[in-house]
Amino acid sequence: MREKKEINIQIGEQVRIAREYAQLTQEMLAERIDVSPQYISDLERGVVGIALPTLKKLCTSLGVASDQILFGKLAEERGSVLSNLCNRLTEEQFSILLEIINCYVKAVNP
């Protein structure tokens, strides 16, 4: 059995945290980024590393920045949390949400 690299363990933990936050199973994430569920399991346990194209797909699918996966930086600002959620929406869904937010802001701050 090959030795796990510390960076793979750290990245794997961040992937698991982001996946669970997105309420996805390993199987669901694997399907979204076109890899096997076993790969997601191995990635989260630090058994394997991640290639840049896969990282890009993963970040897009989970709606997180690569910094969060690579460096473990959690979204600390309110805007970052909203941004992560909005990144999961289609353009049409985002437009609808923007209208709702604008109406709400006008209602509470006339």
Side-chain angles (χ1 to χ4, degrees), residues 45-109:
R45 291 181 292 115
V47 175
V48 297
I50 189 167
L52 288 177
T54 306
L55 176 63
K56 185 175 179 182
K57 287 182 198 176
L58 183 131
C59 290
T60 301
S61 180
L62 294 176
V64 298
S66 58
D67 281 1
Q68 183 173 340
I69 300 299
L70 296 174
F71 302 107
K73 292 183 179 177
L74 299 176
E76 296 174 6
E77 298 178 22
R78 293 186 302 179
S80 296
V81 172
L82 288 175
S83 177
N84 285 343
L85 292 172
C86 291
N87 285 338
R88 298 184 199 157
L89 302 175
T90 65
E91 288 297 320
E92 183 179 347
Q93 292 169 332
F94 180 79
S95 294
I96 293 168
L97 178 60
L98 191 57
E99 281 184 51
I100 292 168
I101 291 172
N102 282 329
C103 288
Y104 176 78
V105 170
K106 286 178 186 175
V108 296
N109 284 328

Side-chain angles (χ1 to χ4, degrees), residues 9-23:
I9 294 169
Q10 292 170 358
I11 289 173
E13 177 67 11
Q14 294 306 315
V15 169
R16 182 190 61 75
I17 290 168
R19 176 184 59 76
E20 289 176 351
Y21 182 78
Q23 299 180 336

